[in-house]
């Protein structure tokens, strides 16, 4: 399906192609892919600089080996806990003996400065503004801790998002669809009336599990093959492609 085949200008009435009436638009936060706000907040190089620096400091504290920067493109995407597990195993702790302390240290370091190296992807602020102009409700669903997700979104995109949902005891982490489904309910829309955008296999699984039209973002960590193989209904190459859906 080509982007121009989808017309969402009247998001509350339009029934075109096989997409249905989208009335909500969900951004996933790869928040780095939050991992670290991947999809919309961090430039890829910034994410891949922050996580290695933080985790390698922790690995050195435990007397483990430091890890190559490129590894973190694949460690990220399923929340901080999984990030730490993967890093510890590759650093020489297959039994995860340092997991509890590592998790505590990582969260302390992240919460102390969640804005470190965080900048919007090129074209993302303009894209969000135009989507809002089309009448769409916007939300963030992240695997990052809820307080940090709210703080970063407020500082980067003041007023652009109608709701932010980070990880908490009440919300299972992605790919469980709890976050997107909760937001859809709060917006008063059906899941099939929503579009979910993310940049990893986890995001694609989340969107499909929620019953939403799922768009893969190539400006994040993973490639087209991974996104397609995990259920992407459409793959967008850059943030501004999302606006074309509304034209």
């Amino acid at each position: 399906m080509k982007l121009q085949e989808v017309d969402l200008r009247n998001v509350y009435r339009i029934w075109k192609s096989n997409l249905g009436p989208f009335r909500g638009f969900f951004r996933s936060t790869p928040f780095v892919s939050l991992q670290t706000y991947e999809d919309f907040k961090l430039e890829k190089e910034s994410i891949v600089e922050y996580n290695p620096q933080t985790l390698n400091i922790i690995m050195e504290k435990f007397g483990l080996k430091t890890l190559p920067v490129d590894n973190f493109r694949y460690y990220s995407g399923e929340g901080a806990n999984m990030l730490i597990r993967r890093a510890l195993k590759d650093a020489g702790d297959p039994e995860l003996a340092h997991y509890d302390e590592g998790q505590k240290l990582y969260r302390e370091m992240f919460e102390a400065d969640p804005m470190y190296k965080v900048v919007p992807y090129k074209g993302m602020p303009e894209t969000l503004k135009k989507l809002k102009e089309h009448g769409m409700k916007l939300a963030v669903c992240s695997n990052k801790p809820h307080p940090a997700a709210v703080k970063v979104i407020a500082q980067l995109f003041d007023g652009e998002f109608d709701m932010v949902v980070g990880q908490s005891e009440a919300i299972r982490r992605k790919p469980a669809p709890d976050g997107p489904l909760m937001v859809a309910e709060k917006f008063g829309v059906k899941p099939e009336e929503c579009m979910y955008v993310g940049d990893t296999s986890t995001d694609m699984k989340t969107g499909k599990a929620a019953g939403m039209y799922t768009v893969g973002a190539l400006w994040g960590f993973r490639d087209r093959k991974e996104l397609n193989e995990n259920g992407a209904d459409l793959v967008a190459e850059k943030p501004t492609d999302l606006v074309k859906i509304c034209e």
Side-chain angles (χ1 to χ4, degrees):
M1 180 184 300
K2 296 180 180 179
L3 287 172
Q4 60 265 30
E5 292 176 342
V6 184
D7 189 343
L8 300 179
R9 284 175 290 187
N10 190 340
V11 293
Y12 289 95
R13 297 186 181 87
I14 196 68
W15 287 80
K16 188 177 179 71
S17 187
N18 66 341
L19 304 187
F22 291 138
R23 302 189 333 194
F25 177 93
F26 290 80
R27 290 286 314 140
S28 162
T29 88
F31 166 6
V32 293
S33 45
L34 299 162
Q35 230 15 324
T36 5
Y37 311 88
E38 315 150 336
D39 304 341
F40 61 95
K41 297 200 225 39
L42 286 176
E43 290 287 358
K44 193 182 302 181
E45 292 76 10
S46 296
I47 303 171
V48 174
E49 180 176 341
Y50 176 82
N51 278 334
Q53 177 174 323
T54 304
L55 266 299
N56 279 333
I57 289 173
I58 294 172
M59 298 304 111
E60 288 181 333
K61 177 179 175 62
F62 296 150
L64 301 173
K65 68 179 182 181
T66 56
L67 300 161
V69 169
D70 282 347
N71 285 28
F72 289 83
R73 299 182 187 275
Y74 298 94
Y75 294 161
S76 301
E78 296 182 62
N81 293 346
M82 184 58 70
L83 169 72
I84 295 164
R85 287 174 181 272
R86 289 169 174 164
L88 283 171
K89 287 181 179 180
D90 282 0
D93 181 13
E95 301 301 323
L96 300 177
H98 299 289
Y99 174 72
D100 289 340
E101 186 179 357
Q103 181 189 54
K104 180 176 180 291
L105 288 172
Y106 179 82
R107 292 189 182 279
E108 288 175 351
M109 294 172 73
F110 179 77
E111 290 173 6
D113 187 13
M115 293 300 296
Y116 177 73
K117 292 286 185 180
V118 178
V119 294
Y121 276 111
K122 182 179 180 181
M124 185 55 71
E126 297 81 3
T127 295
L128 296 176
K129 182 177 181 180
K130 289 184 186 243
L131 290 171
K132 292 291 286 185
E133 289 173 353
H134 283 296
M136 301 188 89
K137 286 183 175 291
L138 308 180
V140 170
C141 292
S142 171
N143 269 346
K144 280 297 180 184
H146 182 73
V150 170
K151 180 176 180 178
V152 172
I153 293 298
Q155 292 193 43
L156 281 181
F157 303 112
D158 184 30
E160 297 292 355
F161 287 96
D162 301 285
M163 190 171 180
V164 178
V165 178
Q167 187 176 358
S168 68
E169 293 184 0
I171 300 293
R172 292 179 297 168
R173 67 179 177 84
K174 300 178 289 183
D178 302 27
L181 290 176
M182 183 183 75
V183 175
E185 182 179 2
K186 294 288 186 182
F187 284 175
V189 299
K190 299 175 182 178
E192 59 266 29
E193 295 174 321
C194 301
M195 181 162 63
Y196 184 101
V197 179
D199 70 342
T200 68
S201 60
T202 299
D203 291 319
M204 301 302 96
K205 292 173 183 176
T206 303
K208 301 309 288 185
M212 299 176 178
Y213 190 76
T214 304
V215 177
L218 279 182
W219 56 88
F221 282 141
R222 310 295 170 75
D223 59 22
R224 185 184 298 272
K225 182 175 182 291
E226 176 176 322
L227 300 174
N228 282 330
E229 287 181 348
N230 286 277
D233 293 298
L234 184 72
V235 175
E237 294 186 355
K238 53 187 181 300
T240 51
D241 285 345
L242 300 176
V243 178
K244 296 177 184 178
I245 297 176
C246 303
E247 294 177 344

